[in-house]
Amino acid sequence: MENSPYVFVEHKDICYQTRLKGVSFANKWLKIREDGQIIVLGSNPECNGYAWDGCSPKFFFFDVYFGTPDGIADRETRKPLTYYASLIHDVLYQFRDCYREQVSREIIDQIFLDELRQQSFRLSGLYFWVVRIFGWIYWQDIMRKYPWTKYIFLLIFLTLLWLLFFLFTSAVQGLSAWISSLF
């Protein structure tokens, strides 16, 4: 996975019970059963595990990843709290064209929220709303249809990062001034 955009690779099959009732689908990476169970086929012998980028967006620059944090490690699994939610969400988005008529983006995003809450991820609401607001970009294949748009989204991301840095430094300066005034 040298210079790969993927952060995680799962080599085991992951089973998860969802709200996808009455949907049936299977390929070499994913099975969806009529009872709502999905199975991500990480152990597929034809492939070397199922790989994904965790919570999007992410990009790497000089061997360092930048982008959406995946959360702290769970005490039991030692995996980030968003690990399974992002796995399920990514695989369902990846093969959406195969069941788009049966499964809406809203349902897949709700499954993402369900798993974030199951993991007691404190930013689950924020991550859900970011997916709801920006998920259409992936759902409609905007970046594949118009490759230049990735630069616009990168610019927006860097602007937001700069804004957060500016707010943080302003807060630190204000706190420093307040502490100075005490003495």
PDB file of all heavy atoms in Angstrom, residues 100-129:
ATOM      1  N   ARG A 100     -28.841   1.285  -5.851  1.00  0.00           N
ATOM      2  CA  ARG A 100     -29.287   2.677  -5.671  1.00  0.00           C
ATOM      3  C   ARG A 100     -30.812   2.811  -5.637  1.00  0.00           C
ATOM      4  O   ARG A 100     -31.352   3.643  -4.922  1.00  0.00           O
ATOM      5  CB  ARG A 100     -28.712   3.550  -6.782  1.00  0.00           C
ATOM      6  CG  ARG A 100     -28.941   5.022  -6.594  1.00  0.00           C
ATOM      7  CD  ARG A 100     -28.463   5.840  -7.777  1.00  0.00           C
ATOM      8  NE  ARG A 100     -27.050   5.803  -7.985  1.00  0.00           N
ATOM      9  CZ  ARG A 100     -26.221   6.812  -7.677  1.00  0.00           C
ATOM     10  NH1 ARG A 100     -26.694   7.897  -7.144  1.00  0.00           N
ATOM     11  NH2 ARG A 100     -24.934   6.703  -7.923  1.00  0.00           N
ATOM     12  N   GLU A 101     -31.509   1.989  -6.423  1.00  0.00           N
ATOM     13  CA  GLU A 101     -32.971   2.061  -6.458  1.00  0.00           C
ATOM     14  C   GLU A 101     -33.598   1.575  -5.154  1.00  0.00           C
ATOM     15  O   GLU A 101     -34.696   1.978  -4.801  1.00  0.00           O
ATOM     16  CB  GLU A 101     -33.514   1.232  -7.634  1.00  0.00           C
ATOM     17  CG  GLU A 101     -33.048   1.700  -8.992  1.00  0.00           C
ATOM     18  CD  GLU A 101     -33.493   3.121  -9.305  1.00  0.00           C
ATOM     19  OE1 GLU A 101     -34.648   3.470  -8.988  1.00  0.00           O
ATOM     20  OE2 GLU A 101     -32.676   3.879  -9.851  1.00  0.00           O
ATOM     21  N   GLN A 102     -32.915   0.687  -4.430  1.00  0.00           N
ATOM     22  CA  GLN A 102     -33.452   0.111  -3.207  1.00  0.00           C
ATOM     23  C   GLN A 102     -32.982   0.814  -1.936  1.00  0.00           C
ATOM     24  O   GLN A 102     -33.651   0.753  -0.917  1.00  0.00           O
ATOM     25  CB  GLN A 102     -33.039  -1.366  -3.102  1.00  0.00           C
ATOM     26  CG  GLN A 102     -33.554  -2.224  -4.236  1.00  0.00           C
ATOM     27  CD  GLN A 102     -32.881  -3.574  -4.211  1.00  0.00           C
ATOM     28  OE1 GLN A 102     -31.715  -3.689  -4.571  1.00  0.00           O
ATOM     29  NE2 GLN A 102     -33.609  -4.581  -3.769  1.00  0.00           N
ATOM     30  N   VAL A 103     -31.806   1.450  -1.996  1.00  0.00           N
ATOM     31  CA  VAL A 103     -31.189   2.013  -0.797  1.00  0.00           C
ATOM     32  C   VAL A 103     -30.843   3.476  -1.040  1.00  0.00           C
ATOM     33  O   VAL A 103     -30.092   3.789  -1.963  1.00  0.00           O
ATOM     34  CB  VAL A 103     -29.910   1.237  -0.417  1.00  0.00           C
ATOM     35  CG1 VAL A 103     -29.298   1.809   0.851  1.00  0.00           C
ATOM     36  CG2 VAL A 103     -30.191  -0.244  -0.255  1.00  0.00           C
ATOM     37  N   SER A 104     -31.360   4.340  -0.206  1.00  0.00           N
ATOM     38  CA  SER A 104     -31.087   5.768  -0.359  1.00  0.00           C
ATOM     39  C   SER A 104     -29.807   6.159   0.383  1.00  0.00           C
ATOM     40  O   SER A 104     -29.352   5.469   1.296  1.00  0.00           O
ATOM     41  CB  SER A 104     -32.256   6.590   0.188  1.00  0.00           C
ATOM     42  OG  SER A 104     -32.317   6.479   1.593  1.00  0.00           O
ATOM     43  N   ARG A 105     -29.280   7.274  -0.005  1.00  0.00           N
ATOM     44  CA  ARG A 105     -28.106   7.830   0.681  1.00  0.00           C
ATOM     45  C   ARG A 105     -28.450   8.131   2.131  1.00  0.00           C
ATOM     46  O   ARG A 105     -27.626   7.918   3.042  1.00  0.00           O
ATOM     47  CB  ARG A 105     -27.651   9.109  -0.048  1.00  0.00           C
ATOM     48  CG  ARG A 105     -26.407   9.722   0.538  1.00  0.00           C
ATOM     49  CD  ARG A 105     -25.901  10.860  -0.324  1.00  0.00           C
ATOM     50  NE  ARG A 105     -26.621  12.094  -0.159  1.00  0.00           N
ATOM     51  CZ  ARG A 105     -26.330  13.022   0.755  1.00  0.00           C
ATOM     52  NH1 ARG A 105     -25.346  12.852   1.583  1.00  0.00           N
ATOM     53  NH2 ARG A 105     -27.030  14.126   0.812  1.00  0.00           N
ATOM     54  N   GLU A 106     -29.649   8.595   2.370  1.00  0.00           N
ATOM     55  CA  GLU A 106     -30.094   8.915   3.733  1.00  0.00           C
ATOM     56  C   GLU A 106     -30.014   7.688   4.645  1.00  0.00           C
ATOM     57  O   GLU A 106     -29.550   7.777   5.792  1.00  0.00           O
ATOM     58  CB  GLU A 106     -31.519   9.458   3.700  1.00  0.00           C
ATOM     59  CG  GLU A 106     -32.036   9.867   5.050  1.00  0.00           C
ATOM     60  CD  GLU A 106     -33.436  10.453   4.989  1.00  0.00           C
ATOM     61  OE1 GLU A 106     -34.039  10.509   3.898  1.00  0.00           O
ATOM     62  OE2 GLU A 106     -33.922  10.837   6.055  1.00  0.00           O
ATOM     63  N   ILE A 107     -30.433   6.529   4.151  1.00  0.00           N
ATOM     64  CA  ILE A 107     -30.385   5.304   4.957  1.00  0.00           C
ATOM     65  C   ILE A 107     -28.940   4.910   5.249  1.00  0.00           C
ATOM     66  O   ILE A 107     -28.591   4.553   6.378  1.00  0.00           O
ATOM     67  CB  ILE A 107     -31.146   4.166   4.259  1.00  0.00           C
ATOM     68  CG1 ILE A 107     -32.650   4.446   4.274  1.00  0.00           C
ATOM     69  CG2 ILE A 107     -30.847   2.819   4.915  1.00  0.00           C
ATOM     70  CD1 ILE A 107     -33.480   3.495   3.456  1.00  0.00           C
ATOM     71  N   ILE A 108     -28.071   4.992   4.253  1.00  0.00           N
ATOM     72  CA  ILE A 108     -26.662   4.641   4.464  1.00  0.00           C
ATOM     73  C   ILE A 108     -26.020   5.606   5.461  1.00  0.00           C
ATOM     74  O   ILE A 108     -25.271   5.181   6.354  1.00  0.00           O
ATOM     75  CB  ILE A 108     -25.899   4.613   3.127  1.00  0.00           C
ATOM     76  CG1 ILE A 108     -26.430   3.479   2.249  1.00  0.00           C
ATOM     77  CG2 ILE A 108     -24.396   4.459   3.359  1.00  0.00           C
ATOM     78  CD1 ILE A 108     -25.863   3.438   0.853  1.00  0.00           C
ATOM     79  N   ASP A 109     -26.335   6.887   5.353  1.00  0.00           N
ATOM     80  CA  ASP A 109     -25.798   7.853   6.307  1.00  0.00           C
ATOM     81  C   ASP A 109     -26.333   7.587   7.714  1.00  0.00           C
ATOM     82  O   ASP A 109     -25.617   7.756   8.707  1.00  0.00           O
ATOM     83  CB  ASP A 109     -26.137   9.279   5.869  1.00  0.00           C
ATOM     84  CG  ASP A 109     -25.410   9.699   4.597  1.00  0.00           C
ATOM     85  OD1 ASP A 109     -24.495   8.971   4.143  1.00  0.00           O
ATOM     86  OD2 ASP A 109     -25.771  10.754   4.041  1.00  0.00           O
ATOM     87  N   GLN A 110     -27.582   7.165   7.808  1.00  0.00           N
ATOM     88  CA  GLN A 110     -28.167   6.840   9.120  1.00  0.00           C
ATOM     89  C   GLN A 110     -27.471   5.620   9.736  1.00  0.00           C
ATOM     90  O   GLN A 110     -27.239   5.578  10.942  1.00  0.00           O
ATOM     91  CB  GLN A 110     -29.670   6.593   8.987  1.00  0.00           C
ATOM     92  CG  GLN A 110     -30.386   6.474  10.309  1.00  0.00           C
ATOM     93  CD  GLN A 110     -30.345   7.751  11.139  1.00  0.00           C
ATOM     94  OE1 GLN A 110     -30.640   8.828  10.634  1.00  0.00           O
ATOM     95  NE2 GLN A 110     -29.985   7.638  12.394  1.00  0.00           N
ATOM     96  N   ILE A 111     -27.105   4.642   8.918  1.00  0.00           N
ATOM     97  CA  ILE A 111     -26.350   3.475   9.399  1.00  0.00           C
ATOM     98  C   ILE A 111     -25.004   3.927   9.958  1.00  0.00           C
ATOM     99  O   ILE A 111     -24.548   3.437  11.001  1.00  0.00           O
ATOM    100  CB  ILE A 111     -26.179   2.436   8.266  1.00  0.00           C
ATOM    101  CG1 ILE A 111     -27.530   1.810   7.927  1.00  0.00           C
ATOM    102  CG2 ILE A 111     -25.158   1.369   8.639  1.00  0.00           C
ATOM    103  CD1 ILE A 111     -27.528   1.002   6.648  1.00  0.00           C
ATOM    104  N   PHE A 112     -24.369   4.884   9.276  1.00  0.00           N
ATOM    105  CA  PHE A 112     -23.117   5.472   9.752  1.00  0.00           C
ATOM    106  C   PHE A 112     -23.309   6.078  11.146  1.00  0.00           C
ATOM    107  O   PHE A 112     -22.530   5.816  12.069  1.00  0.00           O
ATOM    108  CB  PHE A 112     -22.662   6.533   8.738  1.00  0.00           C
ATOM    109  CG  PHE A 112     -21.442   7.316   9.100  1.00  0.00           C
ATOM    110  CD1 PHE A 112     -20.191   6.712   9.140  1.00  0.00           C
ATOM    111  CD2 PHE A 112     -21.531   8.675   9.363  1.00  0.00           C
ATOM    112  CE1 PHE A 112     -19.050   7.447   9.449  1.00  0.00           C
ATOM    113  CE2 PHE A 112     -20.401   9.411   9.669  1.00  0.00           C
ATOM    114  CZ  PHE A 112     -19.158   8.798   9.719  1.00  0.00           C
ATOM    115  N   LEU A 113     -24.372   6.868  11.315  1.00  0.00           N
ATOM    116  CA  LEU A 113     -24.667   7.472  12.612  1.00  0.00           C
ATOM    117  C   LEU A 113     -24.948   6.406  13.667  1.00  0.00           C
ATOM    118  O   LEU A 113     -24.460   6.510  14.808  1.00  0.00           O
ATOM    119  CB  LEU A 113     -25.857   8.434  12.493  1.00  0.00           C
ATOM    120  CG  LEU A 113     -26.315   9.100  13.796  1.00  0.00           C
ATOM    121  CD1 LEU A 113     -25.201   9.955  14.399  1.00  0.00           C
ATOM    122  CD2 LEU A 113     -27.565   9.923  13.538  1.00  0.00           C
ATOM    123  N   ASP A 114     -25.716   5.376  13.313  1.00  0.00           N
ATOM    124  CA  ASP A 114     -26.013   4.289  14.257  1.00  0.00           C
ATOM    125  C   ASP A 114     -24.733   3.677  14.810  1.00  0.00           C
ATOM    126  O   ASP A 114     -24.602   3.449  16.011  1.00  0.00           O
ATOM    127  CB  ASP A 114     -26.848   3.190  13.593  1.00  0.00           C
ATOM    128  CG  ASP A 114     -28.248   3.638  13.210  1.00  0.00           C
ATOM    129  OD1 ASP A 114     -28.718   4.683  13.700  1.00  0.00           O
ATOM    130  OD2 ASP A 114     -28.876   2.933  12.388  1.00  0.00           O
ATOM    131  N   GLU A 115     -23.769   3.395  13.925  1.00  0.00           N
ATOM    132  CA  GLU A 115     -22.525   2.760  14.366  1.00  0.00           C
ATOM    133  C   GLU A 115     -21.663   3.723  15.171  1.00  0.00           C
ATOM    134  O   GLU A 115     -21.039   3.317  16.151  1.00  0.00           O
ATOM    135  CB  GLU A 115     -21.750   2.199  13.175  1.00  0.00           C
ATOM    136  CG  GLU A 115     -20.459   1.520  13.549  1.00  0.00           C
ATOM    137  CD  GLU A 115     -20.586   0.357  14.526  1.00  0.00           C
ATOM    138  OE1 GLU A 115     -21.667  -0.245  14.652  1.00  0.00           O
ATOM    139  OE2 GLU A 115     -19.575   0.042  15.181  1.00  0.00           O
ATOM    140  N   LEU A 116     -21.622   4.996  14.796  1.00  0.00           N
ATOM    141  CA  LEU A 116     -20.872   5.981  15.592  1.00  0.00           C
ATOM    142  C   LEU A 116     -21.440   6.047  17.010  1.00  0.00           C
ATOM    143  O   LEU A 116     -20.690   6.088  17.993  1.00  0.00           O
ATOM    144  CB  LEU A 116     -20.922   7.365  14.943  1.00  0.00           C
ATOM    145  CG  LEU A 116     -20.126   7.559  13.662  1.00  0.00           C
ATOM    146  CD1 LEU A 116     -20.381   8.944  13.082  1.00  0.00           C
ATOM    147  CD2 LEU A 116     -18.639   7.345  13.896  1.00  0.00           C
ATOM    148  N   ARG A 117     -22.758   6.046  17.121  1.00  0.00           N
ATOM    149  CA  ARG A 117     -23.393   6.068  18.448  1.00  0.00           C
ATOM    150  C   ARG A 117     -23.127   4.779  19.209  1.00  0.00           C
ATOM    151  O   ARG A 117     -22.918   4.797  20.421  1.00  0.00           O
ATOM    152  CB  ARG A 117     -24.887   6.311  18.313  1.00  0.00           C
ATOM    153  CG  ARG A 117     -25.208   7.743  17.935  1.00  0.00           C
ATOM    154  CD  ARG A 117     -26.694   7.965  17.840  1.00  0.00           C
ATOM    155  NE  ARG A 117     -27.004   9.368  17.619  1.00  0.00           N
ATOM    156  CZ  ARG A 117     -28.148   9.795  17.136  1.00  0.00           C
ATOM    157  NH1 ARG A 117     -29.106   8.931  16.824  1.00  0.00           N
ATOM    158  NH2 ARG A 117     -28.351  11.082  16.968  1.00  0.00           N
ATOM    159  N   GLN A 118     -23.144   3.654  18.506  1.00  0.00           N
ATOM    160  CA  GLN A 118     -22.845   2.361  19.134  1.00  0.00           C
ATOM    161  C   GLN A 118     -21.451   2.386  19.761  1.00  0.00           C
ATOM    162  O   GLN A 118     -21.234   1.796  20.821  1.00  0.00           O
ATOM    163  CB  GLN A 118     -22.942   1.240  18.089  1.00  0.00           C
ATOM    164  CG  GLN A 118     -22.592  -0.136  18.596  1.00  0.00           C
ATOM    165  CD  GLN A 118     -23.644  -0.681  19.537  1.00  0.00           C
ATOM    166  OE1 GLN A 118     -24.812  -0.328  19.452  1.00  0.00           O
ATOM    167  NE2 GLN A 118     -23.225  -1.532  20.450  1.00  0.00           N
ATOM    168  N   GLN A 119     -20.520   3.072  19.125  1.00  0.00           N
ATOM    169  CA  GLN A 119     -19.151   3.176  19.628  1.00  0.00           C
ATOM    170  C   GLN A 119     -18.978   4.318  20.634  1.00  0.00           C
ATOM    171  O   GLN A 119     -17.868   4.584  21.078  1.00  0.00           O
ATOM    172  CB  GLN A 119     -18.170   3.373  18.461  1.00  0.00           C
ATOM    173  CG  GLN A 119     -18.116   2.224  17.497  1.00  0.00           C
ATOM    174  CD  GLN A 119     -17.669   0.939  18.165  1.00  0.00           C
ATOM    175  OE1 GLN A 119     -16.778   0.930  18.994  1.00  0.00           O
ATOM    176  NE2 GLN A 119     -18.314  -0.154  17.803  1.00  0.00           N
ATOM    177  N   SER A 120     -20.068   5.011  20.955  1.00  0.00           N
ATOM    178  CA  SER A 120     -20.047   6.159  21.891  1.00  0.00           C
ATOM    179  C   SER A 120     -19.075   7.251  21.432  1.00  0.00           C
ATOM    180  O   SER A 120     -18.387   7.872  22.239  1.00  0.00           O
ATOM    181  CB  SER A 120     -19.685   5.697  23.306  1.00  0.00           C
ATOM    182  OG  SER A 120     -20.616   4.758  23.771  1.00  0.00           O
ATOM    183  N   PHE A 121     -19.046   7.485  20.127  1.00  0.00           N
ATOM    184  CA  PHE A 121     -18.201   8.534  19.573  1.00  0.00           C
ATOM    185  C   PHE A 121     -18.857   9.876  19.847  1.00  0.00           C
ATOM    186  O   PHE A 121     -19.978  10.137  19.406  1.00  0.00           O
ATOM    187  CB  PHE A 121     -18.004   8.302  18.066  1.00  0.00           C
ATOM    188  CG  PHE A 121     -17.070   9.264  17.404  1.00  0.00           C
ATOM    189  CD1 PHE A 121     -15.747   9.359  17.812  1.00  0.00           C
ATOM    190  CD2 PHE A 121     -17.501  10.063  16.370  1.00  0.00           C
ATOM    191  CE1 PHE A 121     -14.871  10.243  17.199  1.00  0.00           C
ATOM    192  CE2 PHE A 121     -16.635  10.949  15.745  1.00  0.00           C
ATOM    193  CZ  PHE A 121     -15.323  11.046  16.162  1.00  0.00           C
ATOM    194  N   ARG A 122     -18.184  10.731  20.580  1.00  0.00           N
ATOM    195  CA  ARG A 122     -18.778  11.978  21.060  1.00  0.00           C
ATOM    196  C   ARG A 122     -19.109  12.968  19.953  1.00  0.00           C
ATOM    197  O   ARG A 122     -19.971  13.819  20.128  1.00  0.00           O
ATOM    198  CB  ARG A 122     -17.849  12.630  22.074  1.00  0.00           C
ATOM    199  CG  ARG A 122     -17.775  11.845  23.349  1.00  0.00           C
ATOM    200  CD  ARG A 122     -16.944  12.551  24.378  1.00  0.00           C
ATOM    201  NE  ARG A 122     -16.877  11.724  25.568  1.00  0.00           N
ATOM    202  CZ  ARG A 122     -15.840  11.650  26.351  1.00  0.00           C
ATOM    203  NH1 ARG A 122     -14.775  12.374  26.093  1.00  0.00           N
ATOM    204  NH2 ARG A 122     -15.851  10.874  27.407  1.00  0.00           N
ATOM    205  N   LEU A 123     -18.445  12.886  18.828  1.00  0.00           N
ATOM    206  CA  LEU A 123     -18.719  13.794  17.709  1.00  0.00           C
ATOM    207  C   LEU A 123     -19.624  13.156  16.657  1.00  0.00           C
ATOM    208  O   LEU A 123     -19.645  13.586  15.502  1.00  0.00           O
ATOM    209  CB  LEU A 123     -17.400  14.243  17.065  1.00  0.00           C
ATOM    210  CG  LEU A 123     -16.461  15.043  17.967  1.00  0.00           C
ATOM    211  CD1 LEU A 123     -15.160  15.347  17.245  1.00  0.00           C
ATOM    212  CD2 LEU A 123     -17.125  16.324  18.441  1.00  0.00           C
ATOM    213  N   SER A 124     -20.389  12.148  17.054  1.00  0.00           N
ATOM    214  CA  SER A 124     -21.224  11.418  16.083  1.00  0.00           C
ATOM    215  C   SER A 124     -22.197  12.343  15.362  1.00  0.00           C
ATOM    216  O   SER A 124     -22.362  12.225  14.149  1.00  0.00           O
ATOM    217  CB  SER A 124     -21.969  10.263  16.754  1.00  0.00           C
ATOM    218  OG  SER A 124     -22.813  10.740  17.777  1.00  0.00           O
ATOM    219  N   GLY A 125     -22.828  13.260  16.065  1.00  0.00           N
ATOM    220  CA  GLY A 125     -23.768  14.186  15.424  1.00  0.00           C
ATOM    221  C   GLY A 125     -23.090  15.079  14.400  1.00  0.00           C
ATOM    222  O   GLY A 125     -23.598  15.269  13.290  1.00  0.00           O
ATOM    223  N   LEU A 126     -21.935  15.620  14.753  1.00  0.00           N
ATOM    224  CA  LEU A 126     -21.190  16.472  13.835  1.00  0.00           C
ATOM    225  C   LEU A 126     -20.759  15.690  12.597  1.00  0.00           C
ATOM    226  O   LEU A 126     -20.957  16.143  11.464  1.00  0.00           O
ATOM    227  CB  LEU A 126     -19.952  17.050  14.534  1.00  0.00           C
ATOM    228  CG  LEU A 126     -19.002  17.855  13.640  1.00  0.00           C
ATOM    229  CD1 LEU A 126     -19.689  19.110  13.112  1.00  0.00           C
ATOM    230  CD2 LEU A 126     -17.736  18.208  14.412  1.00  0.00           C
ATOM    231  N   TYR A 127     -20.197  14.493  12.786  1.00  0.00           N
ATOM    232  CA  TYR A 127     -19.752  13.686  11.653  1.00  0.00           C
ATOM    233  C   TYR A 127     -20.938  13.308  10.761  1.00  0.00           C
ATOM    234  O   TYR A 127     -20.823  13.308   9.541  1.00  0.00           O
ATOM    235  CB  TYR A 127     -19.021  12.432  12.128  1.00  0.00           C
ATOM    236  CG  TYR A 127     -17.559  12.649  12.432  1.00  0.00           C
ATOM    237  CD1 TYR A 127     -17.121  13.750  13.167  1.00  0.00           C
ATOM    238  CD2 TYR A 127     -16.606  11.765  11.980  1.00  0.00           C
ATOM    239  CE1 TYR A 127     -15.784  13.954  13.445  1.00  0.00           C
ATOM    240  CE2 TYR A 127     -15.256  11.955  12.246  1.00  0.00           C
ATOM    241  CZ  TYR A 127     -14.858  13.063  12.974  1.00  0.00           C
ATOM    242  OH  TYR A 127     -13.525  13.252  13.239  1.00  0.00           O
ATOM    243  N   PHE A 128     -22.081  12.995  11.376  1.00  0.00           N
ATOM    244  CA  PHE A 128     -23.273  12.657  10.600  1.00  0.00           C
ATOM    245  C   PHE A 128     -23.699  13.846   9.734  1.00  0.00           C
ATOM    246  O   PHE A 128     -23.975  13.671   8.538  1.00  0.00           O
ATOM    247  CB  PHE A 128     -24.413  12.237  11.537  1.00  0.00           C
ATOM    248  CG  PHE A 128     -25.733  12.101  10.850  1.00  0.00           C
ATOM    249  CD1 PHE A 128     -25.983  11.025  10.007  1.00  0.00           C
ATOM    250  CD2 PHE A 128     -26.738  13.045  11.034  1.00  0.00           C
ATOM    251  CE1 PHE A 128     -27.202  10.889   9.360  1.00  0.00           C
ATOM    252  CE2 PHE A 128     -27.959  12.915  10.395  1.00  0.00           C
ATOM    253  CZ  PHE A 128     -28.189  11.839   9.559  1.00  0.00           C
ATOM    254  N   TRP A 129     -23.747  15.039  10.309  1.00  0.00           N
ATOM    255  CA  TRP A 129     -24.211  16.196   9.538  1.00  0.00           C
ATOM    256  C   TRP A 129     -23.219  16.590   8.448  1.00  0.00           C
ATOM    257  O   TRP A 129     -23.622  17.027   7.363  1.00  0.00           O
ATOM    258  CB  TRP A 129     -24.573  17.370  10.448  1.00  0.00           C
ATOM    259  CG  TRP A 129     -25.911  17.104  11.050  1.00  0.00           C
ATOM    260  CD1 TRP A 129     -26.192  16.766  12.329  1.00  0.00           C
ATOM    261  CD2 TRP A 129     -27.154  17.062  10.337  1.00  0.00           C
ATOM    262  NE1 TRP A 129     -27.534  16.523  12.471  1.00  0.00           N
ATOM    263  CE2 TRP A 129     -28.153  16.705  11.270  1.00  0.00           C
ATOM    264  CE3 TRP A 129     -27.527  17.296   9.013  1.00  0.00           C
ATOM    265  CZ2 TRP A 129     -29.486  16.570  10.908  1.00  0.00           C
ATOM    266  CZ3 TRP A 129     -28.862  17.161   8.660  1.00  0.00           C
ATOM    267  CH2 TRP A 129     -29.823  16.808   9.600  1.00  0.00           C
TER     268      TRP A 129
END
